[in-house]
């Protein structure tokens, strides 16, 4: 069966007139008759009984009528749904982002995307850096935002900006008034950081290990917000990506540049290697690329 044949049958079955069916479908009578004949040959028997004065359905035609209505409705709905998705009147896209991005830079990008495409639903998975990579690699999400991975097996990485870690200090700390802080001065205080396997924790430990120094951890948490609040309460100090600076200030802590060693890592968009993105994901990718770069820390 073809869509054209079903539409021809439905028009005749509903009007019980070849003349009216031709007018509805903008077909000639020979073309309409040919479509009906082709459908009957495909199915194996007559669907219509036609005389000089009337047209009526055979029992098989009566059986086909509700099925044809449903098939054509499903076809039209599918066609309209895909048209809406291709024009981004409707759609869905899933994104994974590490917390330092999800809580700080991402909302601005999502707001811009929402203003442009208000009927596209975006699901954000706020997970640690390693999970972002895994979710993209396993095709659980189409896009990820993360630090540059050490290996790129199964993924592509588009660099956006370099982020430098900053010291996080209590507001009443003498170090909070300094133009910058070195690690020796910072580690003279109790240190608060994220728990493993957070990439922030790993980067801190790796950088200090190259200086033959261990990271002395007094308090650790799963959430950046908890780390910021602990520091603001005077429990100790910390170090986080500079893209978290605004969040730390909102929590009551202060941030200053950190050096000796300076810790820097590239942030970018993670894609499945060779993966063809949906229209919605491609559009979000463009918005992320422009907006996150505009928001990159200086």
């Amino acid at each position: 069966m073809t869509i054209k044949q079903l539409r021809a049958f439905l028009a005749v079955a509903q009007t019980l007139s070849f003349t009216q069916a031709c007018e509805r479908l903008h077909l000639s009578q020979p073309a309409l008759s040919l479509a009906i004949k082709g459908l009957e040959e495909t199915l194996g028997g007559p669907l219509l009984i036609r005389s000089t004065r009337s047209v009526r359905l055979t029992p098989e035609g009566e059986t086909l009528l509700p099925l044809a209505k449903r098939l054509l409705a499903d076809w039209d709905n599918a066609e309209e749904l895909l048209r809406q998705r291709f024009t981004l009147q409707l759609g869905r896209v899933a994104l994974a982002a590490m917390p330092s991005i999800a809580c700080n830079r991402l909302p601005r990008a999502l707001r811009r995307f929402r203003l442009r495409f208000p009927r596209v639903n975006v699901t954000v998975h706020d997970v640690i850096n390693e999970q972002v990579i895994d979710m993209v690699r396993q095709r659980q999400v189409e896009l990820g935002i993360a630090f540059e991975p050490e290996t790129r097996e199964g993924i592509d990485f588009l660099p956006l900006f370099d982020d430098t870690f900053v010291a996080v200090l209590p507001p009443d700390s003498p170090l909070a008034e300094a133009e910058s802080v070195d690690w020796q001065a910072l580690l003279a205080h109790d240190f608060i950081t994220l728990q493993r396997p957070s990439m922030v924790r790993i980067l801190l430990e790796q950088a200090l290990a190259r200086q033959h120094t261990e990271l002395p951890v007094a308090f650790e948490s799963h959430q950046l917000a908890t780390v910021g609040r602990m520091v603001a309460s005077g429990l100790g100090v910390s170090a986080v990506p500079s893209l978290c600076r605004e969040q730390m200030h909102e929590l009551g802590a202060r941030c200053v540049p950190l050096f000796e060693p300076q810790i820097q890592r590239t942030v970018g968009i993670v894609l499945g290697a060779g993966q063809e993105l949906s229209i919605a994901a491609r559009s979000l990718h463009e918005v992320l690329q422009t907006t996150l770069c505009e928001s990159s820390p200086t």
Side-chain angles (χ1 to χ4, degrees), residues 34 73 86 96 114 147-148 198 237 254 271 280 296:
L34 190 63
F86 278 121
R114 187 69 173 179
F147 288 124
E148 183 174 8
S198 163
V237 300
R254 297 292 178 267
L271 308 169
S296 62

Side-chain angles (χ1 to χ4, degrees), residues 276-288:
E276 183 69 24
L277 296 178
S278 66
I279 299 292
R282 285 207 299 268
S283 299
L284 179 57
H285 179 280
E286 293 173 4
V287 172
L288 292 174

Side-chain angles (χ1 to χ4, degrees), residues 19 61 74 114 116 127 144 205 248 251 281 283 287:
T19 301
D74 288 345
R114 187 69 173 179
R116 290 177 59 185
V127 295
E205 291 177 337
M248 294 297 109
L251 293 169
S283 299
V287 172

Side-chain angles (χ1 to χ4, degrees), residues 169-186:
L169 305 162
D172 57 356
S173 169
L175 296 177
E177 304 301 323
E179 292 186 3
S180 62
V181 176
D182 62 28
W183 273 97
Q184 183 177 357
L186 190 66

Side-chain angles (χ1 to χ4, degrees), residues 4-254:
K4 182 179 179 180
Q5 290 171 343
L6 284 176
R7 291 197 193 282
F9 167 76
L10 186 60
V12 176
Q14 289 178 329
T15 63
L16 295 177
S17 166
F18 270 71
T19 301
Q20 292 181 36
C22 287
E23 292 175 356
R24 177 187 291 188
L25 299 175
H26 306 289
L27 288 176
S28 65
Q29 285 229 10
L32 180 62
S33 297
L34 190 63
I36 297 295
K37 181 181 179 182
L39 180 60
E40 290 177 332
E41 289 176 351
T42 298
L43 296 178
L47 301 169
L48 302 168
I49 299 174
R50 181 182 184 184
S51 69
T52 55
R53 294 185 177 181
S54 66
V55 176
R56 69 179 189 272
L57 298 175
T58 66
E60 291 75 19
E62 294 282 1
T63 300
L64 178 60
L65 179 57
L67 298 175
K69 288 180 180 178
R70 188 161 66 246
L71 286 169
L72 289 171
D74 288 345
W75 176 271
D76 291 339
N77 289 339
E79 194 173 33
E80 178 60 22
L81 176 63
L82 287 171
R83 185 178 294 111
Q84 289 180 349
R85 285 182 176 271
F86 278 121
T87 57
L88 290 180
Q89 297 176 45
L90 194 67
R92 180 183 298 272
V93 60
L95 164 75
M98 58 183 180
S100 53
I101 281 285
C103 296
N104 297 285
R105 306 289 177 178
L106 185 58
R108 177 184 172 188
L110 294 180
R111 182 175 183 275
R112 181 175 293 183
F113 182 79
R114 187 69 173 179
L115 290 173
R116 290 177 59 185
F117 309 109
R119 298 190 64 191
V120 176
N121 174 272
V122 180
T123 299
V124 178
H125 297 270
D126 181 359
V127 295
I128 62 173
N129 194 84
E130 293 72 18
Q131 285 182 272
V132 173
I133 307 299
D134 288 341
M135 291 184 77
V136 173
R137 188 176 283 135
Q138 296 169 15
R139 301 296 199 265
Q140 293 176 302
V141 297
E142 290 190 84
L143 301 167
I145 309 173
F147 288 124
E148 183 174 8
E150 294 182 359
T151 63
R152 298 193 182 185
E153 181 181 355
I155 62 167
D156 293 326
F157 182 79
L158 174 67
L160 293 177
F161 60 87
D162 291 333
D163 185 87
T164 304
F165 278 55
V166 294
V168 186
L169 305 162
D172 57 356
S173 169
L175 296 177
E177 304 301 323
E179 292 186 3
S180 62
V181 176
D182 62 28
W183 273 97
Q184 183 177 357
L186 190 66
L187 295 182
H189 303 268
D190 287 340
F191 198 83
I192 306 167
T193 189
L194 294 171
Q195 293 179 338
R196 296 189 185 93
S198 163
M199 180 56 71
V200 169
R201 171 74 171 266
I202 292 171
L203 290 174
L204 292 175
E205 291 177 337
Q206 289 177 344
L208 292 179
R210 287 192 289 270
Q211 303 294 318
H212 307 290
T213 301
E214 291 188 2
L215 183 67
V217 177
F219 300 95
E220 51 188 337
S221 170
H222 278 301
Q223 302 294 330
L224 276 168
T226 305
V227 171
R229 187 68 71 187
M230 286 180 173
V231 173
S233 299
L235 283 175
V237 300
S238 188
V240 299
S242 59
L243 55 86
C244 302
R245 184 191 300 266
E246 184 177 345
Q247 180 186 14
M248 294 297 109
H249 286 175
E250 290 174 353
L251 293 169
R254 297 292 178 267

